[in-house]
Amino acid sequence: MTPMTTEGEKTTPAQPAGPSTGPSARRGVIGRLSWGLADQAASSISNFAVGVYVARSLGVTAFGVFSLAWVTYGVVLNVSRGLATDPLVVRFSGVPEKSWREAAGRASGTALGTGLALGAVSAVTGLAVGGRVGSAFACLGVVLPGLLLQDAWRFAFFAAGDGRKAFVNDLVWGVALVPALLVAARVGSVGAFVLAWGGSAAVAGAYGCFQSGIRPRVTGARAWLRAHRDLGTRYLVENVSNSGASQLRAYGLGVIVGVGAVGVIRGAELLLGPFMAVLMGLSLVTVAEAARVLRRAPHRLGQFCLVLGGGQAVAALLWGGALLLIPDRAGELVLGDVWAAASELIVPVTLGVVGAGLGTGAAAGLRALGAARRSLRSQLFASACYVVGGLGGAAAGGTVGSAWGVAAATVCGSAVWWLHLRRALREHHQNTLREVRTT
């Protein structure tokens, strides 16, 4: 049950003084969304810089190896979010400060513990595999705890309605990344770039402890998991099915077409980087904002989700259209040898992002409603479509076929998300009427 504010207890800034939906409430929403965009812009600039640096420095094949480690990190990150920070955002957005601090300590400790456990698995696996791939995974295992801790602080700050701190934290990561990349470039290996990227995130994770004044409680992880297993278990499966589908597609593409194809796909995705910064930035705050809309004006939740998803879809189309106008010389300046193959994928990758943008609006609504079962069903269906489309397309048409298969899959998955949101909104309305009649 979501903790309620008690009289006389200080609340985090995210909690409104009342149920107002007037100009002041709208300004609060815009302010929090703006900090989400600013924060993700800082984070995405760092990620974009790493991707471009590796692509230009090491070539297509080495970039493919780096991308395999990157995709694996995405799976681990979603494990952490499902167990730790997703329940934190859903149940501790705008609660009393004391409750938030207690929850943030346990959630960040859960994220750190997840990084330590899965990092050890990655390191051992990498050492066993050997070679460039093994080295990349061994280095990933070393930096996973810091990466997950830094991400946990971002979500904790947004749950508290203090996106400015999340933005500053990502700026610290970006500043620490500059000298780390310079050192990695002198070494000239994929593993060095993984260590540079993750090591600078660890600096920001440590700074997050200073910002919040909270020490991650790894010993509180068991209590946190037990208290929120109703949401955590479903969100874990949902998140892992999402990122796991990307991982399966990447591994399968590497087997069917070659490791270089993974680098080409990643290069095309980097071209969508600035827009993805918007999409990911909104995702940091959309669930919390949808939960606030549900509390203040539940009849407006569907409209909020539609504006959110539709706006992202239109923005993706505009950005993809702009990419088609980029001359080859400019593209080669950014991605080097990766540009020639990646530029052929702009249209299908853009359409895939359009489908994903539409789906995020519905996903935010389902999570705000606490409809974890419907959310899980939607994600499992979307992930299955993603794997089938990505690998089936690869078998039929190589790298380009995989991109088009994923584009079709994301559009189908988005339709299912919206179907489940519509049903969940109807059920919520019926339950509300029933409660009114019985009181």
Side-chain angles (χ1 to χ4, degrees):
M1 184 176 66
T2 304
M4 303 298 291
T5 304
T6 56
E7 185 177 357
E9 189 172 6
K10 183 179 179 182
T11 60
T12 58
Q15 180 65 27
S20 171
T21 57
S24 61
R26 285 194 292 271
R27 283 195 297 270
V29 172
I30 293 172
R32 289 187 291 272
L33 290 175
S34 298
W35 278 119
L37 291 174
D39 169 73
Q40 189 58 42
S43 176
S44 293
I45 287 173
S46 299
N47 292 338
F48 182 77
V50 172
V52 169
Y53 213 73
V54 176
R56 288 183 57 83
S57 301
L58 302 180
V60 174
T61 302
F63 188 51
V65 174
F66 181 84
S67 298
L68 289 177
W70 187 289
V71 170
T72 304
Y73 156 70
V75 176
V76 177
L77 180 65
N78 279 297
V79 170
S80 175
R81 288 179 177 177
L83 294 176
T85 52
D86 282 343
L88 175 70
V89 171
V90 171
R91 289 181 167 162
F92 294 90
S93 292
V95 300
E97 184 177 13
K98 181 179 179 181
S99 298
W100 172 81
R101 292 181 65 84
E102 175 69 19
R106 291 187 176 184
S108 60
T110 302
L112 182 58
T114 301
L116 291 170
L118 296 183
V121 174
S122 179
V124 171
T125 301
L127 293 174
V129 171
R132 282 198 296 185
V133 173
S135 174
F137 277 82
C139 292
L140 177 65
V142 173
V143 299
L144 273 177
L147 285 163
L148 299 190
L149 179 61
Q150 192 275 337
D151 186 74
W153 288 130
R154 297 173 69 204
F155 279 81
F157 292 141
F158 278 112
D162 197 353
R164 180 181 59 84
K165 287 186 177 180
F167 173 70
V168 171
N169 191 274
D170 268 320
L171 282 182
V172 170
W173 184 1
V175 170
L177 184 61
V178 173
L181 283 179
L182 293 176
V183 173
R186 293 179 67 88
V187 177
S189 68
V190 176
F193 279 103
V194 172
L195 289 175
W197 162 59
S200 54
V203 173
Y207 181 66
C209 300
F210 172 79
Q211 286 178 291
S212 63
I214 299 172
R215 184 174 63 184
R217 294 179 54 191
V218 178
T219 56
R222 179 176 298 179
W224 176 265
L225 294 174
R226 184 169 56 249
H228 304 286
R229 64 174 176 266
D230 58 326
L231 291 182
T233 301
R234 288 195 174 103
Y235 287 160
L236 170 64
V237 176
E238 180 181 329
N239 289 355
V240 171
S241 69
N242 181 23
S243 54
S246 298
Q247 189 177 26
L248 287 175
R249 184 233 186 160
Y251 289 168
L253 188 62
V255 172
I256 296 171
V257 184
V259 176
V262 181
V264 171
I265 292 290
R266 176 60 185 160
E269 292 172 346
L270 277 175
L271 295 174
L272 272 293
F275 172 76
M276 294 301 293
V278 175
L279 193 153
M280 295 298 294
L282 289 174
S283 71
L284 289 171
V285 292
T286 49
V287 176
E289 290 305 322
R292 292 183 180 96
V293 172
L294 181 63
R295 291 179 188 131
R296 295 170 181 159
H299 61 285
R300 295 186 178 180
L301 180 60
Q303 180 183 2
F304 173 84
C305 295
L306 182 60
V307 170
L308 176 66
Q312 291 180 93
V314 171
L317 283 174
L318 293 175
W319 185 263
L323 288 176
L324 293 174
L325 303 177
I326 295 178
D328 287 340
R329 182 173 299 178
E332 291 170 356
L333 185 64
V334 175
L335 293 180
D337 295 338
V338 179
W339 164 257
S343 61
E344 298 180 3
L345 308 181
I346 290 176
V347 173
V349 169
T350 298
L351 293 177
V353 175
V354 169
L358 282 172
T360 56
L366 284 173
R367 290 204 167 188
L369 288 165
R373 184 174 298 177
R374 289 194 176 278
S375 180
L376 176 59
R377 291 174 183 172
S378 301
Q379 185 58 66
L380 289 176
F381 177 84
S383 297
C385 288
Y386 185 94
V387 173
V388 172
L391 297 185
T399 307
V400 176
S402 179
W404 278 107
V406 166
T410 54
V411 173
C412 293
S414 177
V416 172
W417 276 107
W418 280 100
L419 177 64
H420 276 285
L421 176 62
R422 181 181 178 183
R423 291 175 178 173
L425 287 171
R426 188 185 302 120
E427 291 171 357
H428 179 77
H429 179 66
Q430 292 173 347
N431 292 336
T432 301
L433 290 177
R434 192 177 300 115
E435 291 173 1
V436 171
R437 294 194 188 102
T438 56
T439 55

